[in-house]
Protein backbone atom coordinates (compact mmCIF):
# COMPACT_ATOMS: atom_id res chain seq x y z
CA UNK A 1 0.00 0.00 0.00
CA UNK A 2 1.33 3.42 -1.01
CA UNK A 3 1.65 5.94 1.82
CA UNK A 4 2.18 9.68 1.67
CA UNK A 5 5.63 9.12 3.13
CA UNK A 6 6.69 7.44 -0.14
CA UNK A 7 5.46 10.31 -2.32
CA UNK A 8 7.28 13.42 -3.50
CA UNK A 9 5.84 16.91 -3.05
CA UNK A 10 4.25 16.96 -6.52
CA UNK A 11 2.41 13.74 -5.71
CA UNK A 12 1.29 15.16 -2.36
CA UNK A 13 -0.29 18.10 -4.16
CA UNK A 14 -2.16 15.87 -6.61
CA UNK A 15 -3.98 14.35 -3.67
CA UNK A 16 -5.83 17.67 -3.47
CA UNK A 17 -6.87 17.68 -7.12
CA UNK A 18 -5.96 15.70 -10.25
CA UNK A 19 -4.57 18.78 -12.00
CA UNK A 20 -2.86 20.34 -8.98
CA UNK A 21 0.77 21.44 -9.31
CA UNK A 22 3.38 22.52 -6.79
CA UNK A 23 3.23 26.09 -8.03
CA UNK A 24 -0.50 26.20 -7.20
CA UNK A 25 0.30 26.12 -3.48
CA UNK A 26 2.89 27.62 -1.14
CA UNK A 27 4.96 25.19 1.01
CA UNK A 28 5.06 25.85 4.75
CA UNK A 29 7.45 24.83 7.51
CA UNK A 30 4.54 24.80 9.96
CA UNK A 31 0.86 25.60 10.19
CA UNK A 32 0.00 29.16 11.14
CA UNK A 33 -1.22 28.02 14.55
CA UNK A 34 2.14 26.21 15.08
CA UNK A 35 0.40 22.94 15.95
CA UNK A 36 2.04 21.00 13.11
CA UNK A 37 5.57 21.17 11.68
CA UNK A 38 6.98 19.57 8.55
CA UNK A 39 9.06 16.51 9.45
CA UNK A 40 7.82 16.33 13.05
CA UNK A 41 5.11 14.13 14.58
CA UNK A 42 4.40 12.21 11.40
CA UNK A 43 3.90 15.31 9.24
CA UNK A 44 5.42 14.85 5.78
CA UNK A 45 4.43 18.05 4.04
CA UNK A 46 2.48 21.28 4.64
CA UNK A 47 1.26 23.82 2.08
CA UNK A 48 -1.38 26.51 1.73
CA UNK A 49 -3.59 28.13 -0.89
CA UNK A 50 -2.33 31.33 -2.47
CA UNK A 51 -4.63 33.51 -0.39
CA UNK A 52 -3.51 31.78 2.83
CA UNK A 53 -7.05 30.89 3.88
CA UNK A 54 -6.58 27.10 3.92
CA UNK A 55 -3.53 25.02 4.87
CA UNK A 56 -3.05 21.32 4.11
CA UNK A 57 -1.13 18.91 6.37
CA UNK A 58 -0.03 15.57 4.88
CA UNK A 59 0.55 12.49 7.07
CA UNK A 60 1.37 8.92 6.01
CA UNK A 61 -2.26 7.89 5.83
CA UNK A 62 -4.39 11.03 5.74
CA UNK A 63 -4.60 14.76 5.01
CA UNK A 64 -6.00 17.54 7.19
CA UNK A 65 -7.14 20.97 6.08
CA UNK A 66 -6.81 23.91 8.46
CA UNK A 67 -9.18 26.83 7.84
CA UNK A 68 -8.04 30.17 9.24
CA UNK A 69 -10.62 32.52 10.73
CA UNK A 70 -10.51 36.31 10.82
CA UNK A 71 -12.92 36.09 13.77
CA UNK A 72 -10.79 33.75 15.86
CA UNK A 73 -12.52 30.41 15.29
CA UNK A 74 -10.36 28.24 12.99
CA UNK A 75 -11.05 24.57 12.35
CA UNK A 76 -9.46 21.35 11.04
CA UNK A 77 -11.16 19.04 8.52
CA UNK A 78 -10.17 15.65 7.06
CA UNK A 79 -9.61 15.60 3.29
CA UNK A 80 -10.59 12.52 1.31
CA UNK A 81 -9.44 11.72 -2.24
CA UNK A 82 -12.29 12.33 -4.68
CA UNK A 83 -12.95 11.89 -8.37
CA UNK A 84 -15.85 12.48 -10.75
CA UNK A 85 -17.89 9.37 -11.50
CA UNK A 86 -20.86 8.98 -13.83
CA UNK A 87 -23.77 9.21 -13.78
CA UNK A 88 -23.99 12.58 -12.04
CA UNK A 89 -26.68 12.45 -9.37
CA UNK A 90 -26.56 16.06 -8.19
CA UNK A 91 -25.10 19.46 -9.02
CA UNK A 92 -24.42 21.97 -6.25
CA UNK A 93 -24.23 25.58 -7.46
CA UNK A 94 -23.00 28.75 -5.86
CA UNK A 95 -25.17 31.86 -6.18
CA UNK A 96 -23.03 35.02 -6.42
CA UNK A 97 -20.83 34.94 -9.49
CA UNK A 98 -21.84 31.42 -10.56
CA UNK A 99 -25.62 31.67 -10.98
CA UNK A 100 -26.02 35.44 -10.71
CA UNK A 101 -23.43 38.11 -11.45
CA UNK A 102 -23.73 40.15 -8.27
CA UNK A 103 -20.25 40.13 -6.70
CA UNK A 104 -19.56 43.67 -7.88
CA UNK A 105 -22.66 44.93 -6.08
CA UNK A 106 -21.78 43.27 -2.75
CA UNK A 107 -18.16 44.40 -2.95
CA UNK A 108 -19.53 47.93 -3.48
CA UNK A 109 -21.58 47.53 -0.26
CA UNK A 110 -18.41 46.46 1.61
CA UNK A 111 -16.60 49.46 0.13
CA UNK A 112 -19.35 51.86 1.25
CA UNK A 113 -19.30 50.29 4.71
CA UNK A 114 -15.55 50.82 5.01
CA UNK A 115 -15.95 54.37 3.73
CA UNK A 116 -18.51 55.01 6.48
CA UNK A 117 -16.19 53.59 9.12
CA UNK A 118 -13.41 55.88 7.89
CA UNK A 119 -15.79 58.82 7.33
CA UNK A 120 -14.26 59.10 3.85
CA UNK A 121 -16.98 58.92 1.16
CA UNK A 122 -14.31 58.81 -1.56
CA UNK A 123 -12.70 55.61 -0.22
CA UNK A 124 -12.19 52.75 -2.69
CA UNK A 125 -10.98 49.19 -2.23
CA UNK A 126 -7.88 48.09 -4.16
CA UNK A 127 -7.57 45.13 -6.52
CA UNK A 128 -5.53 43.23 -3.93
CA UNK A 129 -8.51 43.40 -1.55
CA UNK A 130 -10.88 41.54 -3.87
CA UNK A 131 -10.10 37.93 -2.82
CA UNK A 132 -10.81 38.91 0.79
CA UNK A 133 -14.09 40.79 0.30
CA UNK A 134 -15.97 38.20 -1.75
CA UNK A 135 -16.93 34.57 -1.24
CA UNK A 136 -16.65 34.50 2.58
CA UNK A 137 -19.11 35.63 5.24
CA UNK A 138 -20.09 39.26 5.74
CA UNK A 139 -18.24 39.39 9.05
CA UNK A 140 -15.07 37.90 7.50
CA UNK A 141 -15.17 40.55 4.76
CA UNK A 142 -15.69 43.33 7.26
CA UNK A 143 -13.02 42.08 9.65
CA UNK A 144 -10.50 42.06 6.81
CA UNK A 145 -11.31 45.71 6.01
CA UNK A 146 -11.14 46.69 9.67
CA UNK A 147 -7.76 45.03 10.12
CA UNK A 148 -6.34 46.75 7.05
CA UNK A 149 -7.98 50.16 6.98
CA UNK A 150 -9.48 51.05 10.36
CA UNK A 151 -8.19 48.88 13.23
CA UNK A 152 -9.71 51.25 15.77
CA UNK A 153 -13.23 50.23 14.68
CA UNK A 154 -15.23 47.16 15.77
CA UNK A 155 -17.01 44.46 13.82
CA UNK A 156 -20.25 45.55 15.48
CA UNK A 157 -19.88 49.08 14.12
CA UNK A 158 -19.10 47.69 10.68
CA UNK A 159 -22.13 45.39 10.68
CA UNK A 160 -24.41 48.30 11.63
CA UNK A 161 -23.20 50.31 8.63
CA UNK A 162 -23.31 47.24 6.37
CA UNK A 163 -26.96 46.49 7.07
CA UNK A 164 -27.87 50.17 6.84
CA UNK A 165 -26.40 50.34 3.32
CA UNK A 166 -27.82 46.93 2.36
CA UNK A 167 -31.38 47.71 3.44
CA UNK A 168 -31.34 51.07 1.64
CA UNK A 169 -29.92 49.73 -1.62
CA UNK A 170 -32.07 46.57 -1.66
CA UNK A 171 -35.17 48.67 -1.08
CA UNK A 172 -34.19 50.90 -4.00
CA UNK A 173 -33.69 47.87 -6.25
CA UNK A 174 -36.98 46.23 -5.27
CA UNK A 175 -38.75 49.51 -6.04
CA UNK A 176 -37.12 49.89 -9.44
CA UNK A 177 -34.86 52.79 -8.49
CA UNK A 178 -31.61 51.03 -7.65
CA UNK A 179 -28.70 49.69 -9.65
CA UNK A 180 -30.05 47.92 -12.71
CA UNK A 181 -26.85 45.89 -13.04
CA UNK A 182 -26.95 44.52 -9.48
CA UNK A 183 -28.32 41.03 -10.21
CA UNK A 184 -27.70 39.71 -13.71
CA UNK A 185 -28.22 35.99 -14.47
CA UNK A 186 -25.05 34.24 -15.61
CA UNK A 187 -25.12 33.66 -19.41
CA UNK A 188 -26.63 30.28 -20.19
CA UNK A 189 -28.13 29.79 -16.72
CA UNK A 190 -31.67 28.95 -17.87
CA UNK A 191 -30.53 26.40 -20.43
CA UNK A 192 -28.10 24.86 -17.93
CA UNK A 193 -30.68 24.47 -15.16
CA UNK A 194 -33.41 23.18 -17.50
CA UNK A 195 -31.00 20.67 -19.05
CA UNK A 196 -30.12 19.33 -15.59
CA UNK A 197 -33.83 19.00 -14.84
CA UNK A 198 -34.44 17.11 -18.08
CA UNK A 199 -31.69 14.65 -17.10
CA UNK A 200 -33.28 14.22 -13.66
CA UNK A 201 -30.14 15.53 -11.93
CA UNK A 202 -30.85 17.07 -8.53
CA UNK A 203 -29.91 20.75 -8.13
CA UNK A 204 -28.83 22.41 -4.89
CA UNK A 205 -28.26 26.17 -4.62
CA UNK A 206 -25.66 27.20 -2.04
CA UNK A 207 -24.72 30.67 -0.83
CA UNK A 208 -22.78 32.17 2.08
CA UNK A 209 -25.05 35.19 1.74
CA UNK A 210 -27.69 35.95 4.33
CA UNK A 211 -31.27 35.13 3.32
CA UNK A 212 -32.29 38.79 3.15
CA UNK A 213 -29.63 39.51 0.53
CA UNK A 214 -29.63 36.16 -1.28
CA UNK A 215 -33.35 35.61 -1.82
CA UNK A 216 -34.00 38.84 -3.80
CA UNK A 217 -31.10 37.84 -6.08
CA UNK A 218 -32.62 34.45 -6.83
CA UNK A 219 -36.11 35.84 -7.38
CA UNK A 220 -34.79 38.65 -9.59
CA UNK A 221 -32.79 36.23 -11.76
CA UNK A 222 -35.71 33.83 -12.21
CA UNK A 223 -38.07 36.70 -13.12
CA UNK A 224 -35.56 37.96 -15.69
CA UNK A 225 -35.35 34.47 -17.21
CA UNK A 226 -39.12 33.91 -17.06
CA UNK A 227 -38.64 30.83 -14.91
CA UNK A 228 -40.94 29.40 -12.21
CA UNK A 229 -40.78 29.86 -8.45
CA UNK A 230 -37.17 29.02 -7.45
CA UNK A 231 -38.42 27.35 -4.25
CA UNK A 232 -40.23 24.80 -6.42
CA UNK A 233 -37.59 24.59 -9.15
CA UNK A 234 -34.51 23.83 -7.01
CA UNK A 235 -34.39 20.56 -5.10
CA UNK A 236 -32.72 22.34 -2.16
CA UNK A 237 -31.63 25.90 -1.35
CA UNK A 238 -29.41 26.88 1.57
CA UNK A 239 -28.22 30.33 2.69
CA UNK A 240 -26.26 31.63 5.68
CA UNK A 241 -29.59 32.30 7.38
CA UNK A 242 -30.53 35.41 9.33
CA UNK A 243 -28.17 37.94 10.92
CA UNK A 244 -27.50 37.78 14.63
CA UNK A 245 -28.15 41.27 16.02
CA UNK A 246 -29.99 42.94 18.87
CA UNK A 247 -33.75 42.88 18.52
CA UNK A 248 -33.91 39.80 16.29
CA UNK A 249 -33.20 36.07 16.41
CA UNK A 250 -30.24 35.02 14.28
CA UNK A 251 -29.12 31.68 12.89
CA UNK A 252 -25.70 30.08 12.60
CA UNK A 253 -23.99 31.47 9.51
CA UNK A 254 -21.22 33.96 10.17
CA UNK A 255 -18.63 31.56 11.62
CA UNK A 256 -19.44 28.44 9.56
CA UNK A 257 -19.75 29.54 5.89
CA UNK A 258 -17.35 29.08 2.99
CA UNK A 259 -14.48 28.11 3.02
CA UNK A 260 -15.85 25.83 5.77
CA UNK A 261 -17.64 22.83 4.19
CA UNK A 262 -20.91 22.93 6.12
CA UNK A 263 -23.22 24.69 3.63
CA UNK A 264 -22.28 22.28 0.83
CA UNK A 265 -22.30 19.26 3.12
CA UNK A 266 -25.73 20.13 4.52
CA UNK A 267 -27.44 20.89 1.22
CA UNK A 268 -26.18 17.58 -0.20
CA UNK A 269 -26.68 15.27 2.80
CA UNK A 270 -29.79 16.84 4.35
CA UNK A 271 -31.34 18.75 1.45
CA UNK A 272 -30.76 16.22 -1.35
CA UNK A 273 -30.29 13.01 0.63
CA UNK A 274 -26.87 12.22 -0.90
CA UNK A 275 -24.90 9.86 1.33
CA UNK A 276 -21.12 10.44 1.68
CA UNK A 277 -20.23 7.24 -0.20
CA UNK A 278 -21.90 8.77 -3.28
CA UNK A 279 -19.97 12.07 -3.15
CA UNK A 280 -18.14 11.17 -6.37
CA UNK A 281 -21.46 11.48 -8.24
CA UNK A 282 -21.94 15.06 -7.03
CA UNK A 283 -20.37 18.06 -8.76
CA UNK A 284 -19.91 21.42 -7.04
CA UNK A 285 -19.65 24.56 -9.18
CA UNK A 286 -17.96 27.72 -7.89
CA UNK A 287 -16.27 30.87 -9.14
CA UNK A 288 -14.64 31.96 -5.86
CA UNK A 289 -11.71 30.68 -3.83
CA UNK A 290 -13.78 30.31 -0.65
CA UNK A 291 -16.39 28.30 -2.51
CA UNK A 292 -13.83 26.04 -4.17
CA UNK A 293 -12.31 25.28 -0.76
CA UNK A 294 -15.74 24.67 0.77
CA UNK A 295 -16.66 22.12 -1.91
CA UNK A 296 -13.30 20.35 -1.69
CA UNK A 297 -13.39 20.26 2.13
CA UNK A 298 -16.88 18.76 1.90
CA UNK A 299 -15.15 16.07 -0.21
CA UNK A 300 -16.95 16.71 -3.48
CA UNK A 301 -15.22 17.19 -6.84
CA UNK A 302 -14.98 20.85 -7.87
CA UNK A 303 -15.65 22.47 -11.23
CA UNK A 304 -14.43 26.05 -11.27
CA UNK A 305 -16.15 28.73 -13.37
CA UNK A 306 -14.15 31.58 -14.89
CA UNK A 307 -14.88 35.16 -13.93
CA UNK A 308 -14.21 34.96 -10.20
CA UNK A 309 -11.02 34.93 -8.16
CA UNK A 310 -10.04 31.24 -8.34
CA UNK A 311 -6.77 31.74 -10.24
CA UNK A 312 -6.01 35.02 -8.46
CA UNK A 313 -6.37 33.42 -5.02
CA UNK A 314 -4.35 30.30 -5.74
CA UNK A 315 -7.11 27.68 -5.53
CA UNK A 316 -7.10 26.51 -9.16
CA UNK A 317 -5.29 23.33 -8.10
CA UNK A 318 -8.31 22.20 -6.08
CA UNK A 319 -10.51 22.13 -9.20
CA UNK A 320 -11.05 18.95 -11.19
CA UNK A 321 -11.98 21.18 -14.14
CA UNK A 322 -12.02 24.91 -14.81
CA UNK A 323 -14.54 26.08 -17.42
CA UNK A 324 -15.23 29.33 -19.21
CA UNK A 325 -19.02 28.92 -19.20
CA UNK A 326 -21.90 26.72 -18.07
CA UNK A 327 -22.17 25.02 -21.46
CA UNK A 328 -18.68 23.58 -21.00
CA UNK A 329 -19.76 22.21 -17.63
CA UNK A 330 -22.71 20.44 -19.28
CA UNK A 331 -20.23 18.61 -21.52
CA UNK A 332 -18.27 17.46 -18.45
CA UNK A 333 -21.45 16.19 -16.80
CA UNK A 334 -22.33 14.29 -19.96
CA UNK A 335 -25.49 12.32 -20.63
Amino acid sequence: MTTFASLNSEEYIRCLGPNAKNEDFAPLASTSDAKFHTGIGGVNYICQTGDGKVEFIFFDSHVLAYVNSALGYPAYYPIQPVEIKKPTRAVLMDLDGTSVRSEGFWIWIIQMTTASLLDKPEFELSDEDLPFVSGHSVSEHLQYCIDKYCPDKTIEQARDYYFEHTHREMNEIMNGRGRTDAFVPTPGLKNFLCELKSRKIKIGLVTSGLYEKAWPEIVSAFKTLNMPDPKEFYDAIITAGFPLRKGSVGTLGELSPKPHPWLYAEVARVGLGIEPQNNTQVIGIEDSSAGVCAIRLANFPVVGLAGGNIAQSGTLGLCHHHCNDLNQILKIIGD
Side-chain angles (χ1 to χ4, degrees):
M1 175 179 169
T2 301
T3 66
F4 287 124
S6 65
L7 304 178
N8 59 41
S9 62
E10 188 72 36
E11 290 169 319
Y12 285 135
I13 296 300
R14 280 197 293 273
C15 295
L16 302 180
N19 303 308
K21 301 179 180 62
N22 270 341
E23 54 265 32
D24 294 328
F25 303 90
L28 297 174
S30 64
T31 53
S32 57
D33 64 356
K35 290 188 183 299
F36 295 101
H37 303 264
T38 299
I40 299 175
V43 176
N44 296 311
Y45 190 67
I46 303 174
C47 64
Q48 67 178 357
T49 55
D51 60 7
K53 291 295 293 185
V54 180
E55 300 166 12
F56 300 97
I57 307 99
F58 295 84
F59 299 83
D60 280 0
S61 59
H62 63 286
V63 184
L64 292 178
Y66 174 68
V67 179
N68 284 305
S69 170
L71 301 180
Y73 286 87
Y76 280 93
Y77 299 100
I79 294 287
Q80 304 296 332
V82 69
E83 58 183 322
I84 296 176
K85 290 186 178 179
K86 306 294 179 64
T88 300
R89 297 180 55 177
V91 168
L92 314 179
M93 292 187 69
D94 168 50
L95 176 62
D96 295 326
T98 301
S99 301
V100 179
R101 300 291 170 86
S102 57
E103 288 284 16
F105 175 79
W106 294 114
I107 290 171
W108 177 59
I109 295 289
I110 294 291
Q111 179 173 283
M112 286 198 297
T113 299
T114 308
S116 296
L117 288 170
L118 294 168
D119 195 21
K120 294 181 178 179
E122 73 282 2
F123 169 81
E124 292 186 1
L125 293 166
S126 67
D127 288 344
E128 68 178 21
D129 294 327
L130 299 185
F132 305 98
V133 294
S134 62
H136 305 283
S137 72
V138 169
S139 292
E140 290 264 340
H141 299 158
L142 296 177
Q143 189 63 57
Y144 167 81
C145 291
I146 289 170
D147 291 343
K148 181 173 180 179
Y149 294 109
C150 43
D152 60 318
K153 305 301 182 181
T154 67
I155 190 68
E156 290 75 22
Q157 290 172 308
R159 284 171 61 83
D160 285 343
Y161 279 124
Y162 177 88
F163 289 115
E164 175 186 323
H165 290 308
T166 295
H167 291 157
R168 182 188 65 250
E169 297 301 328
M170 293 296 276
N171 183 66
E172 289 294 292
I173 289 170
M174 299 305 285
N175 286 284
R177 299 188 298 266
R179 288 178 52 159
T180 57
D181 63 343
F183 310 133
V184 180
T186 296
L189 179 66
K190 183 175 183 178
N191 176 69
F192 182 79
L193 293 176
C194 291
E195 185 62 29
L196 294 181
K197 278 287 185 181
S198 72
R199 300 181 191 183
K200 297 185 175 8
I201 295 173
K202 293 183 177 181
I203 311 171
L205 184 65
V206 181
T207 176
S208 280
L210 296 165
Y211 178 85
E212 65 188 69
K213 55 179 278 194
W215 187 243
E217 289 188 45
I218 304 167
V219 172
S220 174
F222 269 54
K223 283 183 178 178
T224 299
L225 297 173
N226 194 28
M227 292 181 68
D229 182 351
K231 289 181 181 177
E232 299 300 322
F233 185 89
Y234 286 101
D235 296 288
I237 301 173
I238 193 166
T239 74
F242 300 92
L244 181 63
R245 58 191 180 215
K246 186 174 177 57
S248 64
V249 177
T251 54
L252 182 66
E254 288 296 304
L255 294 179
S256 61
K258 309 169 188 177
H260 296 278
W262 298 114
L263 289 170
Y264 277 104
E266 183 152 344
V267 80
R269 184 66 187 92
V270 180
L272 302 180
I274 304 292
E275 297 183 352
Q277 62 265 32
N278 296 316
N279 281 5
T280 54
Q281 292 179 281
V282 177
I283 289 176
I285 306 173
E286 270 281 0
D287 76 310
S288 75
S289 63
V292 165
C293 290
I295 294 172
R296 187 62 189 89
L297 269 57
N299 292 309
F300 299 115
V302 185
V303 176
L305 186 63
N309 66 353
I310 294 175
Q312 180 184 6
S313 61
T315 52
L316 190 60
L318 298 177
C319 298
H320 281 63
H321 298 277
H322 190 261
C323 298
N324 292 321
D325 53 48
L326 293 175
N327 190 51
Q328 286 187 347
I329 298 178
L330 276 178
K331 294 177 181 177
I332 291 170
I333 293 171
D335 297 326

